[in-house]
Structures are given as C-alpha cells and as structure tokens.
Amino acid sequence: MEEHLKGLNAMQREAAIHMNGPILIVAGAGAGKTKTITHRILNLIKNGISPDKILAVTFTNKAAKEMRERIISEIKKHIKGQDSVPFVSTFHSLGVYIIKENAHILGLTRHFTILDDSDSTTLIKESLKELGIDPKQYDPRKIKNIISREKGKFTHLKDYEEKVYDYLSKLVAQVWALYEKKKAKENSLDFDDLLLKATKLLKEKEEIRKIYQEKWEYIHIDEYQDTNEVQYLMSRLLSEKNKNICVVGDADQNIYSWRGANLKNILSFEKDYGKETKIILLEENYRSTQNILEAANEVIKKNVYRPDKNLFTKNKTGEKIGLYEALDENDEADFVATKILELLDKITDVPLKGVSQADEPRGSARSTDLDSDPSKVASIILSDVAILYRANFQSRALEEALLRYNIPYQVLGVKFFERKEIKDTLAYLRCALNPESLSEIKRIINFPVRGIGKVTLIKLFSGEKENLPIKVKIKIDNFYKILEEIKEKIKSSKASEVIRFAVKKSGIETELSTGTEEDMERLENIKELVTLALKYDNSKDGLGIEKLLEDASLASDQDSMMIAENKKTETNAVKLMTVHASKGLEFKYIFTTGLEDGLFPHRRNNESKNGEDKEEERRLFYVAITRAREKLFLSFANFRTIFGSRQINAPSEFISDIPSDILEKEGEEGGIKTIYI
C-alpha cells in the first residue's frame, strides 16, 4: 500500500483513490470524513493534479481551517517541494472571492461591506419607517427572515414581486426593494447576497462560469446535506463541465431545514449526476463507545427519508447511558451540576470543594498556576463536558446551578465578533476601506464622543454638510481624516499593527483606559482581537485586514468558541449550547437535557408537524447522542415552567427508542436531595 494511504480503512481508502467522475461519500457521525477528504485531495496531488485545480468547500471557518491545516500537513509529509495548496473555504467565503473578482460587474468596489445580522435588521427597520409602517406592528426580523429564505431558494426581488398575493407579501416586496437600494448606496451586501450574487454571476455569465470551471477541475463539498438551493446550484454550475465533484454528507445529520437546507440534495445526488456516480458508505465510527452507537442506531432507524446505514465501532462497549427523571428544571440542573462534580472527583481524585469563584466572570476558569493549584487539575477536565438543550431558554436554570456549585462555564452562542467594542473597532477599519458604508459611519462617528449629534448626521447624509456650523464641519473633517490615516496604514502595515493604530488614533484606547472596570475588560477583548490578527500579518497590501474583516463578518458560533479557546481564562469550562450549535463538535461527556414531549421533540403551539418535520427532530436527537465519546446522560423533568406557566410533561418518545438494557437510572442511590423551587 502507498505510504500516503496508510491509516485508512477499506472504505475510506476506496473514496480516497477515486479520481474522476461524481462521488457521494455517505459519512456517518465520527466516521473520519475530514480524514477521508484530506487523503483524497492528497491522492489527487500525488497523481499529478495541481493543487490550484482543487476546490474544497465547507460551512464554518472552523471546519475550513481544520481541513486546510490537515491538507497542508499531509502535503508537507508526503510531497516534497510542493508549495501551493488547494482553495479551501466556506461557501460564503467562496462567494466573497467570486464577487470581489467581479465586483465591477455588480456595481460594487472590492471593499464592499458585509452586513451582519443586526445591521441588516436595522436597514429593514429603516425601510419600514420610510413606508410609514410601525416596526412594532411588523417585526423587522420576521421580514428579514422571509427575504433571507427567498434568497436561499435563489429567488430574486423581481421574481418575488411577480408572485405577491396578500398584504404581507406585498409589504415584504416593498421593504425588500428599499433594502436593496440602501445596500447599493452603502456599497454593502448581506450574507445571503454573497451566495445569491455569486451564483447569479455563474449562471448568467458564461464567460465567468468558464473561468471558474477551468480554475477548479476537482470540487469537494463537505456537509452536503446542509446545502440550500443556492449552494446546490453553485456546486452544480462549478462542476458541470468536468463532473469531478465529490460530496460528503450524512442525511441523518440534516438539521437545518429552517435555514433552507434541503435534504433532497443529498438523497437525489445519484439522480442529478448520473449512473456513473460512485457511492461509498463510511460506517465505522472512531469516536464513541458501542453503547452510544447502539442508542444512536436504534433512534435513527425509525426515520424513512434516509439511505440505510448502521454505525459500528471497534471501541470498547463503554458505560451505560444515564437517565435522570427530575422533578422540575431546577432539580434537573442540580443533577447535572452535582454529576459534573462527581465526574471530576472520580477522574482526578481532586475535589472542587472550597474553590470560590464569586469574583470571577461567568465561564472563566481560575487564573492561578496550573502546577501549584491542585483544583486547577480538576477544572481542566471541565472542557471535556458539554450540556445540550433544545431551546435557549433552558440555559437559565443550568447556569444558576453551575454558579451555585462554582463550576466555570461558557455559553456557546455569544459571539466574540458581536461584542460592541469589537464591532466598533472593526467598523473603523471597514469605513476606512469603504467610506460609503453609512451604517458603519453612523456607528462610530460619535464614538468616542466628538459632539456630532443625530441632527448633524441627518444633514451630513443628506448632502447638506456645507450648511453645518464651521465647528461641526471641522469635527466631521477630523473624523474622516482619521479614516484616511487608517486607510494609509492598512496599505503599508501588518494587520495587527493596523488595529493597534486604529484603536489609538480613533481614541477608543483612551476612552476605555480611563473608564470603568467593564471598560477595561472591553479593552482586553480588543487586545485579543490584536492577537487574533497576528495570523493575518503575512498578507501584504492590506489583504490581511481584508481577510480579517471577511472572516469576522462570516464567523459562526463555533468559530467564536475557537477564538475563546485561545484564551486560557475561558478554555477550562463546561460548554453550554443548543443541540444545533453542537453539530461538528465532540466531548467525552454529554448531558442532553429537557427530553420531554413538546420540548424535544420540539412542538410549538398550534403547530402540526408533517413527517419530514418529525424526522428532523429525530435527526437532531441523533446528533446530540453522537457528540458523546465516552458517557451520555439524558434527563427530563416532570414539571417545567415555560412562559411563567408550570407544565406537567410526559417523557420524550425518543427515550423509549433506546434499548432498556443499555440504560441505567441516575439519582437512585438514596439519601435526601434538595430541590430548588
């Protein structure tokens, strides 16, 4: 066997050595799909395919970073003197790349601003007001979500305007039209535009389509089950000439239909690409114990919309799955917290008793030296533990219990790039490159305070600057002078140096240095941004800052956790997250909470789920189970207070799907238990 294929099992190896034509790799949870894709790409290069001809696309920056690093590592190990690497990115980053190269066709500059969720919502809100509609009557977020869903279906404004049929759809069309005008004026795009406009270029401009078809002859799409209509079309357009497309996915992990992910994309792959399509099943799991996999297989086999597969492993049988029946959500949270302490004592023989964290921030670990503080040994193990829940509101009781027992924790979902101080700093950089971005200008022109009020802004944005008092005009000119200086710095300096300069020149550093303790914490976060920027320092001519801004705009919840884990104060903590946010992650110990009928599987009031909806809830539970490597705990509460109303609950039907011989009840050791009500 060739050296670069060693370490692969038979099915992984078969996928890796496949060269030409379409291939579908159905990869079960923990079956080594990233390893398989990496070695497939390596094999292509070993067989004479230039890395420049290879494209690999996935969904999060975290996944793209991991894949890129693995590919580079394998190339260095097996191919001497090979400097170039394949193009590895997320779908949205790929969209940005195509749009930047063709910005003039779209009436944009290459320094267009990517609006985040809150910026988009603000423009929608402004559009509603311009139409004389009270935003309290029609939620801007709801309208934004409707527009986003339509764009995900590759629907353009003109298409939507032709099918309006009631007052709401007519209103959405009017808001959408104003929203597009506002973005055009600001030289900005939202997330959905990055896919929609790039795909539109590929579809409608044959000369552009040919460029990228010739550029990337071999295409790899990860997490194919999560693609929506636009991503599906983009993949087809890029691969239609050479047909060398490799997609990897698992129908059992399709959990994003509410974002537009279309399960039929993976189920219909063979139909779409013809009989020459090769299909390979990766069923050997390297992550979990046999008991965990047995539970997962028994749960998911009830679904109909899936290719038949059965995960197996050579790992140990492992412990049984723990099941706790709680009185209410507080009892459930108390069980989770005390069980975590029990696990720590069991693993390390070092109890956490007496370790106080009263003065420390939520989610942080103690900052004493690792070698001198034995309790720190226990806290390191905390990073092996995750608590999952179906809905965000469930975290409250869990957080209270963790605080009560002095257990450090981190809630996944609070994005690093959404913190005010980070957004303010990045806004200075964006405005320096794109001074047409009025939303960003509005954000920072009076931060730090410069005495520029709302009335002044209205006149400035209306082209009435000359009518302003001389002192105000000087303030505005000084602000734009700062942006010019930052722009010049971007052209000539490293990314980390640019951020230091911008923070100092803008006055942010002085503002936060002389403020409250909370301000000092914000300044620490900006310093972390400088640290993060170091990895962009090798790029020249301002491309480092461009890439940093792009990555910041497209960061996901998991990417935020990746940033946080570079900070020792936040690494050693239990992770709390929704099951959706846990996809792609794994932990030794998983607590899946709230397994009650109506909560998990989730059911909203007056909502009737069809067969596919019910199957998605089952797939979501399957994802929760397969995050665990060594031990899985399940829990449900007989009573739970939801929206102020105490409800009686039946256990989730999912629990009964797990064979009783691999379940064991928790909390029946006897003794008195304190219930917090």
Side-chain angles (χ1 to χ4, degrees), residues 485-528:
E485 290 184 41
I486 294 173
K487 184 177 181 179
E488 289 303 313
K489 190 73 174 177
I490 289 173
K491 293 178 183 177
S492 60
S493 303
K494 296 178 179 178
S496 59
E497 294 172 357
V498 171
I499 296 175
R500 288 194 191 95
F501 177 81
V503 173
K504 188 179 292 290
K505 193 70 183 178
S506 64
I508 291 177
E509 184 176 30
T510 302
E511 177 82 6
L512 298 181
S513 296
T514 56
T516 63
E517 188 173 332
E518 187 178 343
D519 287 335
M520 291 302 294
E521 187 177 333
R522 287 175 177 161
L523 189 57
E524 287 297 319
N525 287 330
I526 293 175
K527 289 179 180 178
E528 179 62 21

Side-chain angles (χ1 to χ4, degrees), residues 24-31 223-226 248-257 262-264 266-267 281-283 287 293 295-312 579-580 583-584 600 612 614-627 654:
L24 166 62
I25 303 173
V26 180
E223 303 287 8
Y224 193 66
Q225 79 281 349
D226 291 337
V248 186
D250 182 7
D252 293 336
Q253 296 187 70
N254 171 267
I255 59 173
Y256 293 117
S257 65
N262 196 333
L263 185 59
K264 78 173 180 62
I266 191 167
L267 296 179
L281 295 182
L282 300 185
E283 297 175 291
R287 175 188 300 159
L293 289 189
N297 285 329
E298 289 299 313
V299 165
I300 202 62
K301 75 179 184 182
K302 286 195 171 184
N303 276 4
V304 175
Y305 302 102
R306 63 185 293 265
D308 188 35
K309 74 174 191 305
N310 197 63
L311 293 180
F312 69 91
V579 182
H580 280 101
K583 188 165 175 294
F600 200 0
E612 290 187 37
K614 289 179 180 177
E615 290 208 353
E616 179 152 339
E617 285 294 307
R618 189 173 292 278
R619 292 194 294 269
L620 192 59
F621 184 50
Y622 173 83
V623 166
I625 293 173
T626 53
R627 299 312 94 198
F654 297 153

Side-chain angles (χ1 to χ4, degrees), residues 129-348:
K129 288 180 178 179
E130 284 187 29
L131 292 169
I133 304 294
D134 185 354
K136 293 179 181 178
Q137 183 181 2
Y138 289 94
D139 184 5
R141 284 192 174 276
K142 182 179 179 181
I143 291 176
K144 185 185 76 65
N145 290 339
I146 292 172
I147 295 171
S148 177
R149 192 160 55 245
E150 291 297 327
K151 287 182 176 181
K153 296 175 185 175
F154 199 61
T155 303
H156 297 80
L157 175 58
K158 288 183 179 178
D159 303 325
Y160 187 80
E161 288 173 332
E162 291 175 1
K163 64 177 185 178
V164 294
Y165 60 92
D166 59 9
Y167 179 77
L168 178 59
S169 58
K170 185 178 179 181
L171 176 61
V172 169
Q174 291 175 314
V175 171
W176 191 345
L178 279 176
Y179 177 54
E180 293 300 321
K181 287 179 181 176
K182 288 178 180 294
K183 286 188 297 173
K185 186 178 180 181
E186 295 193 7
N187 189 39
S188 64
L189 299 176
D190 61 27
F191 279 13
D192 301 302
D193 292 328
L194 302 179
L195 301 178
L196 186 72
K197 291 187 179 296
T199 304
K200 190 171 186 287
L201 279 171
L202 294 172
K203 187 173 189 292
E204 297 179 356
K205 304 286 185 182
E206 184 180 359
E207 67 279 11
I208 292 176
R209 183 167 68 250
K210 284 183 176 179
I211 289 171
Y212 295 106
Q213 287 175 344
E214 291 173 7
K215 180 179 179 65
W216 297 309
E217 293 180 5
Y218 291 83
I219 295 170
H220 302 75
I221 310 294
D222 191 16
E223 303 287 8
Y224 193 66
Q225 79 281 349
D226 291 337
T227 53
N228 61 19
E229 290 301 313
V230 177
Q231 291 158 337
Y232 165 81
L233 182 57
M234 179 186 280
S235 304
R236 288 212 69 171
L237 290 168
L238 288 171
S239 63
E240 68 180 2
K241 179 184 177 184
N242 301 297
K243 297 288 193 300
N244 295 325
I245 181 169
C246 169
V247 304
V248 186
D250 182 7
D252 293 336
Q253 296 187 70
N254 171 267
I255 59 173
Y256 293 117
S257 65
W258 49 280
R259 286 185 186 173
N262 196 333
L263 185 59
K264 78 173 180 62
N265 292 348
I266 191 167
L267 296 179
S268 302
F269 184 80
E270 185 177 12
K271 180 182 175 183
D272 289 337
Y273 287 90
K275 292 182 180 179
E276 67 272 24
T277 299
K278 189 174 185 65
I279 300 176
I280 294 177
L281 295 182
L282 300 185
E283 297 175 291
E284 183 173 357
N285 176 286
Y286 294 90
R287 175 188 300 159
S288 306
T289 64
Q290 292 177 24
N291 279 337
I292 290 170
L293 289 189
E294 183 180 351
N297 285 329
E298 289 299 313
V299 165
I300 202 62
K301 75 179 184 182
K302 286 195 171 184
N303 276 4
V304 175
Y305 302 102
R306 63 185 293 265
D308 188 35
K309 74 174 191 305
N310 197 63
L311 293 180
F312 69 91
T313 185
K314 295 174 184 175
N315 292 340
K316 61 185 179 182
T317 301
E319 296 184 55
K320 290 185 177 183
I321 293 163
L323 176 64
Y324 184 72
E325 178 180 353
L327 175 66
D328 60 12
E329 68 268 26
N330 297 309
D331 179 28
E332 179 184 52
D334 193 70
F335 159 71
V336 172
T338 54
K339 179 57 70 172
I340 289 171
L341 292 181
E342 182 185 314
L343 286 171
L344 294 175
D345 286 345
K346 179 181 176 183
I347 296 165
T348 65

Side-chain angles (χ1 to χ4, degrees), residues 420-429 499 503 508 526 529:
K420 181 183 182 300
E421 61 274 14
I422 302 301
K423 291 187 74 170
D424 288 341
T425 303
L426 295 179
Y428 271 96
L429 304 178
I499 296 175
V503 173
I508 291 177
I526 293 175
L529 179 64

Side-chain angles (χ1 to χ4, degrees), residues 348-593:
T348 65
D349 293 324
V350 181
L352 232 67
K353 298 171 186 174
V355 179
S356 175
Q357 200 190 0
D359 299 325
E360 295 179 353
R362 177 185 72 177
S364 66
R366 287 156 299 283
S367 57
T368 48
D369 183 76
L370 288 179
D371 298 323
S372 62
D373 184 0
S375 68
K376 187 69 175 179
V377 178
S379 73
I380 290 172
I381 308 301
L382 289 171
S383 61
D384 290 331
V385 180
I387 307 171
L388 311 184
Y389 36 81
R390 178 62 182 83
N392 278 304
F393 77 85
Q394 293 173 250
S395 73
R396 181 199 58 80
L398 293 163
E399 289 188 62
E400 287 179 0
L402 294 172
L403 286 169
R404 193 160 59 243
Y405 286 96
N406 297 321
I407 299 174
Y409 69 93
Q410 176 192 358
V411 181
L412 183 59
V414 182
K415 294 183 181 179
F416 176 80
F417 290 115
E418 286 187 356
R419 293 170 176 165
K420 181 183 182 300
E421 61 274 14
I422 302 301
K423 291 187 74 170
D424 288 341
T425 303
L426 295 179
Y428 271 96
L429 304 178
R430 289 195 182 98
C431 290
L433 294 172
N434 179 22
E436 301 302 315
S437 181
L438 302 185
S439 297
E440 300 279 24
I441 295 289
K442 191 187 300 183
R443 179 181 189 90
I444 59 172
I445 195 169
N446 203 41
F447 178 77
V449 176
R450 296 183 176 88
I452 301 173
K454 290 183 179 179
V455 175
T456 300
L457 277 178
I458 292 171
K459 289 184 177 180
L460 175 64
F461 292 165
S462 300
E464 300 177 31
K465 178 185 171 184
E466 294 308 313
N467 297 331
L468 293 169
I470 186 67
K471 287 185 178 179
V472 176
K473 283 197 285 186
I474 291 172
K475 291 176 182 177
I476 292 172
D477 288 342
N478 286 339
F479 168 74
Y480 278 98
K481 184 180 177 184
I482 290 171
L483 296 185
E484 278 296 324
E485 290 184 41
I486 294 173
K487 184 177 181 179
E488 289 303 313
K489 190 73 174 177
I490 289 173
K491 293 178 183 177
S492 60
S493 303
K494 296 178 179 178
S496 59
E497 294 172 357
V498 171
I499 296 175
R500 288 194 191 95
F501 177 81
V503 173
K504 188 179 292 290
K505 193 70 183 178
S506 64
I508 291 177
E509 184 176 30
T510 302
E511 177 82 6
L512 298 181
S513 296
T514 56
T516 63
E517 188 173 332
E518 187 178 343
D519 287 335
M520 291 302 294
E521 187 177 333
R522 287 175 177 161
L523 189 57
E524 287 297 319
N525 287 330
I526 293 175
K527 289 179 180 178
E528 179 62 21
L529 179 64
V530 174
T531 302
L532 178 67
L534 289 172
K535 71 175 186 177
Y536 300 89
D537 277 356
N538 291 332
S539 300
K540 297 178 180 179
D541 301 323
L543 294 179
I545 286 293
E546 273 192 47
K547 184 60 178 168
L548 170 62
L549 292 174
E550 178 187 323
D551 288 350
S553 296
L554 304 179
S556 69
D557 293 344
Q558 290 186 12
D559 299 324
S560 299
M561 191 177 80
M562 181 173 65
I563 293 166
E565 288 184 345
N566 288 327
K567 302 169 75 172
K568 290 182 180 179
T569 56
E570 294 186 32
T571 301
N572 303 313
V574 172
K575 303 297 187 295
L576 278 74
M577 68 193 83
T578 63
V579 182
H580 280 101
S582 74
K583 188 165 175 294
L585 304 177
E586 59 180 74
F587 298 86
K588 282 186 181 178
Y589 309 98
I590 289 286
F591 291 84
T592 300
T593 61

